[in-house]
Amino acid sequence: FNKIRELELTNYVIYREALPQSELSQLYKTTDIFLLPSKYEIFGMVMMEAMTFGLPIITSYNGGSSTIIDNRKNGIILREFDTDVWSNEVVNLLKDERSWMQISVAAQNTGAERFSWQAIVSQVLSTMNEK
């Protein structure tokens, strides 16, 4: 949060460590990019939620990100935890509307194709039918 203040971006960046479930969808709808710097994500439910809203995700390399994100196609995975690197990724993505849109559409498609309730039910039924 200090870097946000230092760069005078408090009017543009929403930082939340936690948020009630009832407020998530409204926040996703008003967001341009979703950042998740995390050293430990087993699967990445929060990334899946953000993808269903078509949000480009910038996240760190972890178990969850590597199973959900095809780097630079439906999201961006960074190996560094350097705030300058993250800031530059955000600025570059916001400046390049075409890339932002491509990642946004790919994220939303991934969310719908792999993580919607219908997709999950279909996967479960398919697995059950194989046995």
Side-chain angles (χ1 to χ4, degrees):
F1 191 70
N2 292 334
K3 189 69 167 181
I4 295 167
R5 276 189 256 147
E6 177 188 321
L7 296 172
E8 298 178 1
L9 296 173
T10 55
N11 292 333
Y12 305 100
V13 176
I14 300 169
Y15 173 81
R16 299 283 187 266
E17 286 189 28
L19 199 63
Q21 188 72 29
S22 61
E23 296 178 25
L24 285 177
S25 65
Q26 188 57 39
L27 184 62
Y28 286 134
K29 290 176 186 176
T30 61
T31 302
D32 295 317
I33 297 175
F34 184 84
L35 304 178
L36 183 65
S38 174
K39 292 182 180 180
Y40 183 75
E41 287 293 322
I42 294 172
F43 183 66
M45 181 67 103
V46 69
M47 287 183 282
M48 289 182 350
E49 289 175 349
M51 290 176 105
T52 62
F53 284 89
L55 292 175
I57 296 169
I58 300 176
T59 188
S60 49
Y61 183 80
N62 55 62
S65 65
S66 62
T67 59
I68 296 170
I69 294 177
D70 186 1
N71 198 23
R72 305 242 173 233
K73 292 192 172 67
N74 64 352
I76 297 171
I77 300 174
L78 300 175
R79 293 193 179 263
E80 306 89 358
F81 282 93
D82 181 321
T83 54
D84 289 330
V85 170
W86 283 68
S87 300
N88 287 335
E89 285 291 340
V90 170
V91 168
N92 290 338
L93 191 56
L94 289 174
K95 282 183 178 178
D96 185 352
E97 188 174 338
R98 184 172 180 229
S99 290
W100 180 91
M101 185 57 76
Q102 287 173 335
I103 291 173
S104 174
V105 168
Q108 192 164 32
N109 289 341
T110 300
E113 292 167 6
R114 293 180 56 196
F115 307 115
S116 69
W117 281 113
Q118 184 164 347
I120 292 169
V121 168
S122 293
Q123 290 170 13
V124 169
L125 291 175
S126 176
T127 301
M128 290 174 62
N129 289 333
E130 288 176 5
K131 295 188 178 209

